[in-house]
Amino acid sequence: MKLRYFSHSAFQITTEDNQSILIDPFLDENPTSPVKSDEVNANYIILTHAHGDHLGDTFKIAKRTGATIIAVNELANYCAAKGFNVHNMHIGGAHKFKFGKVKFTIAHHGSETPEGNYAGEPAGVIITVNDKTIYHTGDTGLFYDMKLIGELNKIDYMLTPIGDNFTMGIDDAVKAVEFVNPEFAVPMHYKTWPIIDAEPENFKNKVEAIGKNCKILQYGQEIEL
Ligand code: NI
Ligand code: MN
């Protein structure tokens, strides 16, 4: 399987049988993404929450590709009301899809629709494809239950925000990596705008100082897991 980073919190997982799973595809209005929404394929789109920088181009992409949107119940219902294929889930629940397993976790943040309505609780998501497990924390502050997530799941790649202001900053994200104990930490949600101008190299140095691995993905870069 492959993991591609578009920038911000937007990623793509491509399975060996070529299924494409997008996470939080914020591309067209994202000043750091080298890829635009009409260039990506999707079978599924997983949303951590409904803020514009995560819901992003979901509707444009789903309309073109027929992708199924996977989200917590309230957000999935919002998408379904707009005519899209959805799979409703909620925090703590897991489901096996054709491509692998998805489980939603808590995240300490907010979530509202573009119209300003409640969109359910924000979430993180644990995605297992074959023998690899990715934990995308969503937008969140640090929380101690990350330790439990690390105990119950062998996380290969932990995708964690470091940008501060809206989410964990670097020091809290390093603590989160300590709690989750992944094979690799991957920073996200930084430098999209001046307000989240955190330096991924600083995060990497601090992660390595506690004896953990960090991989900084370049905007648009795809790696084989
Ligand atoms: Ni957010
Ligand atoms: Mn965000």
Side-chain angles (χ1 to χ4, degrees):
M1 74 189 272
K2 291 176 192 153
L3 178 69
R4 186 181 191 189
Y5 184 43
F6 295 116
S7 72
H8 203 60
S9 297
F11 290 83
Q12 178 178 36
I13 293 168
T14 306
T15 63
E16 270 155 36
D17 61 346
N18 235 19
Q19 291 189 75
S20 165
I21 301 104
L22 302 179
I23 310 166
D24 291 354
F26 170 55
L27 306 173
D28 292 348
E29 306 295 322
N30 173 351
T32 50
S33 177
V35 178
K36 295 301 162 199
S37 69
D38 59 359
E39 300 171 62
V40 295
N41 253 330
N43 299 95
Y44 294 90
I45 300 171
I46 300 174
L47 297 176
T48 62
H49 64 296
H51 285 155
D53 56 321
H54 298 260
L55 183 62
D57 304 299
T58 295
F59 294 155
K60 266 190 251 179
I61 297 167
K63 194 167 194 175
R64 178 170 51 79
T65 61
T68 297
I69 300 165
I70 303 170
V72 298
N73 192 60
E74 295 81 359
L75 177 52
N77 285 345
Y78 170 74
C79 298
K82 295 199 178 291
F84 296 100
N85 301 324
V86 300
H87 182 104
N88 299 44
M89 293 185 68
H90 229 304
I91 291 161
H95 182 75
K96 273 190 183 150
F97 293 87
K98 267 182 275 174
F99 63 87
K101 193 175 95 171
V102 173
K103 183 173 185 179
F104 279 98
T105 71
I106 59 167
H108 289 314
H109 194 65
S111 181
E112 62 178 2
T113 67
E115 295 82 14
N117 298 318
Y118 178 65
E121 294 301 302
V125 64
I126 299 171
I127 305 161
T128 304
V129 177
N130 298 327
D131 59 341
K132 295 284 185 225
T133 298
I134 294 167
Y135 171 34
H136 186 301
T137 70
D139 280 0
T140 186
L142 177 64
F143 56 92
Y144 197 72
D145 283 358
M146 283 181 173
K147 221 175 151 88
L148 187 59
I149 291 171
E151 273 174 32
L152 298 178
N153 303 275
K154 190 194 147 296
I155 305 294
D156 294 290
Y157 288 81
M158 175 183 177
L159 318 178
T160 178
I162 64 164
D164 223 334
N165 192 77
F166 302 112
T167 67
M168 294 186 281
I170 287 175
D171 288 338
D172 282 2
V174 171
K175 194 71 191 171
V177 171
E178 190 186 315
F179 284 162
V180 174
N181 193 27
E183 198 63 41
F184 288 97
V186 176
M188 65 177 180
H189 213 273
Y190 60 86
K191 287 194 183 294
T192 320
W193 306 285
I195 188 83
I196 55 171
D197 189 25
E199 194 52 64
E201 288 292 342
N202 291 346
F203 173 69
K204 186 174 197 279
N205 291 338
K206 290 187 174 191
V207 166
E208 288 173 353
I210 62 162
K212 310 285 179 200
N213 299 312
C214 177
K215 216 171 250 185
I216 299 171
L217 300 186
Q218 303 307 311
Y219 301 154
Q221 188 184 355
E222 186 168 61
I223 59 169
E224 182 76 43
L225 303 194

